Amino acid sequence: MSGGSLSNEVNKRRTFAIISHPDAGKTTITEKVLLHGQRLQKAGTVKGKKSGQHAKSDWMEMEKERGISVTTSVMQFPYRDALVNLLDTPGHEDFSEDTYRTLTAVDSCLMVIDGAKGVEDRTIKLMEVTRLRDTPIITFMNKLDRDIRDPLELLDEVESVLNIMCAPITWPIGSGKNFKGVYHLMNDETILYKTGQGHRIQDRDIIKGLDNPELDARIGDYAADLREQIELVKGASNEFDKELFLAGELTPVYFGTALGNFGVDHMLDGLVQWAPTPLPRETDEGKQVSATMPTFSGFVFKIQANMDPKHRDRVAFMRIVSGKYEKGMKMHQVRIGKDVRIADALTFLAGDREHVEEAYPGDIIGLHNHGTIQIGDTFTAGEKFKFSGIPNFAPELFRRIRLKDPLKQKQLLKGLVQLSEEGAVQVFRPLANNDLIVGAVGVLQFDVVVHRLKSEYNVDAVYESINVATARWVSSNDERKLDEFRRKAEQNLALDGGDNLTYIAPTMVNLNLATERYPDIEFHHTREH
Ligand code: GDP
C-alpha cells in the first residue's frame, strides 16, 4: 500500500465522544448524528442505556439490555467528505471508569448541555478528564424547543465553571414555543427552524445576510431583535480561533434541539471542518507515533465482557494509532512479548457486529479476548514501545467485599484481580488488615462484580459499607521518604490489583492533611498501566 492512501484515510477520519450530564440529550443527539451519517433509516432506533424498568441489582436484565446497547459502543459513519467515529461513553447507571478512559482514546469531544439547566456536575467531571490531553471541545446547547436560560449567561457559565473560552458559531432566535432558528455568525445566514422534522433529514431553509428584508418577512419583530443581539454578541464574545480550539482552550458553540433534529448538522459541519484528524500518541520512551507512520500500532482502552448473550466472550477495544489493520495480520503484543494473528477483529456498525477487512488510525476495532489482553496493552508490528496516556482513574465509591464461604479467599482475590484488569473496578488490600476493598467510578459496577464472581469464579460475595472517600496512588523520588511514609501512614495504605501503593483516605480533609504533612510524597489521581 502506498503512503499516499494511508494519509488520505487518516485525513478523512474524526474520532470523538460525547460528554454530558445524564438527560442532557446524548442519546437523542447520537440518533440524529447517525441519521445525518445515514446509518439509520429513521431516527429513533438507537436503543441503549437504561429503560428505568429494571431493578438496579438485576444484572441479568442489565446484561440483556447491554446486549443491545453495546452495538452502539462505537459507531462509524460518513459525513460530507469525512469518516466519523463516535465512541459511546456510558452514562446513567452504567457510568464507569470506562467512560473516563474512552475520553483518552478520542481526538475531540462534543459537550452537550441542557440549555435550561446549564453546566451540571457530570459535565464538570468529564471536562476534567479531557484536560489530561487538552482535548478539543465542541459545544452543543440543547433543547432550544423549550424555554432555555439567557444564551449569553449560558456562555458565561461555561467560561467560568469549565474554564474554557466560548466562541458562538450559531446564535439562537428565541426559544421554547418561539424558537425560530439560528443565525450562523461565520456564514452570515439565518437557518429557520421547522417543527415536526425530528425524524428525517430536512432541507435547510436559509436566508442569506443579516440585513436581508426577507428575514423580517419571515420572522417579523424577531429580526430586529436578532440584529441587535448579534451586535452585542460580537462585542461580548470570542471569535473562533482554530489554534485555541485545538489546544482545548476555546470551544465553538452551537445552539439547537436534538429532539427536533435542528442544529445537529451545523455542529457536524464544524466537527468535520475543525476537529483534529487522528492525533499522534506518546510512548513510554517519550516518542511520538504519528498516524501516518506506515507500520501498524494501537492500544486497548476498554474490555467488555458478556456483551451480547449470543456471544459470551470478552472483547478488547483497540484504538488504532498508526498504519493499517488488515484481516489476518500478525500483531505484536508488547506487554507479553508475543506475536498474535488477528483474523477476526470486530467493528460495530449500527446493529450487528461485523468483521473488518481493514481499518485505519482513529478507527476502533474489537479483538476477541480470552483473558490475555489487558487495558493499556500496546500492539505493534513488532516494535517494543508502549503507549502512555491510558490511565486508571481513582475510584470514587468504595465497599468492603466479604465472602459467604471464607475458604474461598484465594479464588475471590484471583477473581477480583482479573476483573480489575478489565478496568471496571479496582481492588485494594490494606497493609494493616485482611480487608478487601472494591473501588469503582459508577455504582452499577459493584453489582456486575458480584454477579461475575458468582458465575465465572463460583464465589459468593457480599458488600459491606466502608468509610473511604477517595484513593490516590503514591510515589516519591526519595526512596527513604517513601519508606518512612509507608511506616507512618500504614493505617491508610493499601496495594491495588497490580501491587501499587495507594493511599486510602476516609475523608477529603484527611487526604488534604496527608498531602500537607508529607510534602515529599506525590499523590496521583490517575495511574498509568
Ligand atoms: P441522555 O441521558 O443524555 O442520553 O439524554 P436523552 O437523549 O435520553 O434525553 C433525555 C430526555 O430529554 C429524553 O426524554 C429526550 O426525549 C429529551 N430530549 C433530548 N433532546 C431534547 C430536545 O432537544 N428538546 C426536548 N424538548 N427534549 C429533548
Side-chain angles (χ1 to χ4, degrees):
M1 188 193 62
S2 75
S5 71
L6 176 60
S7 63
N8 277 347
E9 294 294 337
V10 168
N11 288 335
K12 271 206 286 200
R13 276 159 171 83
R14 307 286 183 281
T15 299
F16 81 109
I18 300 179
I19 59 176
S20 62
H21 192 81
D23 291 328
K26 181 174 70 98
T27 310
T28 313
I29 216 167
T30 301
E31 276 174 16
K32 308 306 164 169
V33 158
L34 293 181
L35 180 67
H36 285 287
Q38 285 155 6
R39 276 285 169 219
L40 292 179
Q41 295 302 320
K42 188 168 166 291
T45 46
V46 172
K47 304 206 188 75
K49 64 161 205 185
K50 47 112 205 217
S51 68
Q53 282 155 1
H54 54 78
K56 274 190 190 167
S57 61
D58 194 345
W59 162 240
M60 291 307 283
E61 271 309 303
M62 279 310 297
E63 192 184 11
K64 256 190 245 158
E65 286 182 16
R66 277 156 62 98
I68 304 165
S69 72
V70 86
T71 57
T72 61
S73 275
V74 180
M75 293 153 273
Q76 185 176 69
F77 58 90
Y79 185 78
R80 299 196 185 272
D81 295 332
L83 201 54
V84 181
N85 291 308
L86 169 54
L87 274 56
D88 188 36
T89 37
H92 293 272
E93 294 99 328
D94 53 350
F95 182 66
S96 73
E97 215 185 319
D98 280 345
T99 311
Y100 290 164
R101 215 158 14 236
T102 296
L103 298 181
T104 67
V106 297
D107 303 308
S108 57
C109 285
L110 170 64
M111 172 165 73
V112 179
I113 290 178
D114 183 328
K117 295 191 176 148
V119 177
E120 298 176 86
D121 299 356
R122 183 73 61 81
T123 310
I124 299 174
K125 265 193 198 169
L126 295 170
M127 265 296 275
E128 263 171 39
V129 176
T130 70
R131 290 261 152 74
L132 290 175
R133 303 181 52 79
D134 296 327
T135 305
I137 308 285
I138 296 175
T139 301
F140 189 80
M141 292 289 179
N142 192 24
K143 307 200 183 179
L144 266 284
D145 60 323
R146 291 197 188 157
D147 292 325
I148 63 154
R149 286 167 49 190
D150 172 20
L152 269 177
E153 192 189 300
L154 284 171
L155 297 196
D156 264 358
E157 186 170 290
V158 170
E159 296 206 333
S160 60
V161 177
L162 300 176
N163 193 22
I164 188 167
M165 290 180 271
C166 289
I169 307 299
T170 63
W171 196 257
I173 309 166
S175 74
K177 285 198 191 74
N178 298 318
F179 183 47
K180 303 292 175 197
V182 296
Y183 172 71
H184 198 296
L185 282 103
M186 289 177 102
N187 298 352
D188 183 25
E189 60 188 30
T190 303
I191 309 149
L192 295 176
Y193 173 56
K194 272 182 268 176
T195 53
Q197 307 278 306
H199 291 289
R200 59 182 201 86
I201 297 179
Q202 34 187 304
D203 293 331
R204 292 184 192 180
D205 188 355
I206 292 176
I207 300 170
K208 274 278 175 198
L210 197 53
D211 294 324
N212 193 334
E214 202 195 329
L215 196 59
D216 304 81
R218 296 289 298 275
I219 61 172
D221 290 346
Y222 285 94
D225 284 355
L226 175 66
R227 290 181 189 114
E228 222 169 85
Q229 273 191 26
I230 293 301
E231 191 120 325
L232 185 76
V233 168
K234 281 187 170 162
S237 65
N238 303 289
E239 260 183 57
F240 179 73
D241 179 315
K242 191 170 171 187
E243 234 167 85
L244 291 176
F245 164 63
L246 292 177
E249 291 174 27
L250 174 142
T251 176
V253 181
Y254 295 83
F255 289 83
T257 154
L259 195 64
N261 189 21
F262 184 83
V264 175
D265 50 342
H266 315 155
M267 177 280 295
L268 280 172
D269 288 348
L271 180 93
V272 300
Q273 191 181 351
W274 299 318
T277 58
L279 292 171
R281 295 274 154 169
E282 201 162 307
T283 69
D284 55 347
E285 299 151 347
K287 204 178 85 178
Q288 298 272 328
V289 175
S290 81
T292 49
M293 182 174 91
T295 49
F296 175 86
S297 68
F299 62 84
V300 172
F301 62 94
K302 168 167 155 172
I303 290 174
Q304 194 153 347
N306 299 348
M307 301 199 341
D308 181 333
K310 284 182 297 196
H311 308 256
R312 294 195 68 91
D313 55 3
R314 285 176 235 182
V315 173
F317 289 75
M318 177 199 280
R319 147 110 194 196
I320 299 179
V321 174
S322 69
K324 175 186 183 183
Y325 163 82
E326 273 171 295
K327 190 175 168 160
M329 78 184 278
K330 212 167 64 184
M331 294 180 193
H332 183 70
Q333 188 175 356
V334 178
R335 180 176 50 84
I336 57 175
K338 270 197 189 149
D339 287 347
V340 283
R341 192 171 295 282
I342 307 291
D344 53 355
L346 299 166
T347 182
F348 309 91
L349 293 174
D352 272 321
R353 295 175 177 196
E354 288 179 21
H355 290 277
V356 222
E357 297 295 325
E358 52 183 47
Y360 292 91
D363 290 348
I364 311 301
I365 57 176
L367 308 182
H368 290 285
N369 175 24
H370 307 290
T372 52
I373 304 178
Q374 290 179 10
I375 286 178
D377 271 359
T378 297
F379 287 78
T380 66
E383 285 130 307
K384 302 277 181 258
F385 64 77
K386 288 183 188 159
F387 287 112
S388 57
I390 316 114
N392 269 125
F393 291 84
E396 293 156 25
L397 304 164
F398 298 85
R399 290 185 192 168
R400 183 187 294 122
I401 191 164
R402 192 173 56 76
L403 282 169
K404 286 187 186 157
D405 171 2
L407 291 177
K408 294 202 167 158
Q409 189 73 15
K410 253 193 185 155
Q411 241 147 314
L412 174 67
L413 188 60
K414 180 173 165 226
L416 285 175
V417 168
Q418 283 183 0
L419 292 176
S420 70
E421 279 165 5
E422 287 183 18
V425 292
Q426 292 174 44
V427 54
F428 301 98
R429 286 159 295 146
L431 299 187
N433 59 47
N434 290 327
D435 281 353
L436 277 177
I437 301 172
V438 176
V441 164
V443 71
L444 174 73
Q445 302 306 323
F446 290 116
D447 296 336
V448 172
V449 162
V450 159
H451 175 83
R452 290 189 58 196
L453 282 172
K454 175 111 185 85
S455 66
E456 292 166 39
Y457 299 90
N458 197 22
V459 171
D460 269 312
V462 290
Y463 291 112
E464 291 167 349
S465 63
I466 188 168
N467 189 23
V468 176
T470 191
R472 291 289 183 275
W473 288 281
V474 291
S475 68
S476 177
N477 293 330
D478 186 335
E479 276 302 320
R480 262 192 19 246
K481 297 268 188 211
L482 193 61
D483 276 346
E484 187 189 317
F485 175 64
R486 197 188 263 267
R487 278 197 314 276
K488 285 193 176 157
E490 192 192 26
Q491 287 302 323
N492 289 98
L493 289 173
L495 297 177
D496 74 0
D499 287 340
N500 304 287
L501 196 61
T502 317
Y503 187 85
I504 303 284
T507 61
M508 292 313 277
V509 173
N510 171 288
L511 176 67
N512 291 338
L513 288 175
T515 54
E516 279 170 26
R517 189 164 161 211
Y518 302 103
D520 301 302
I521 305 296
E522 286 174 53
F523 294 75
H524 309 273
H525 190 255
T526 58
R527 183 180 70 74
E528 285 285 329
H529 288 270

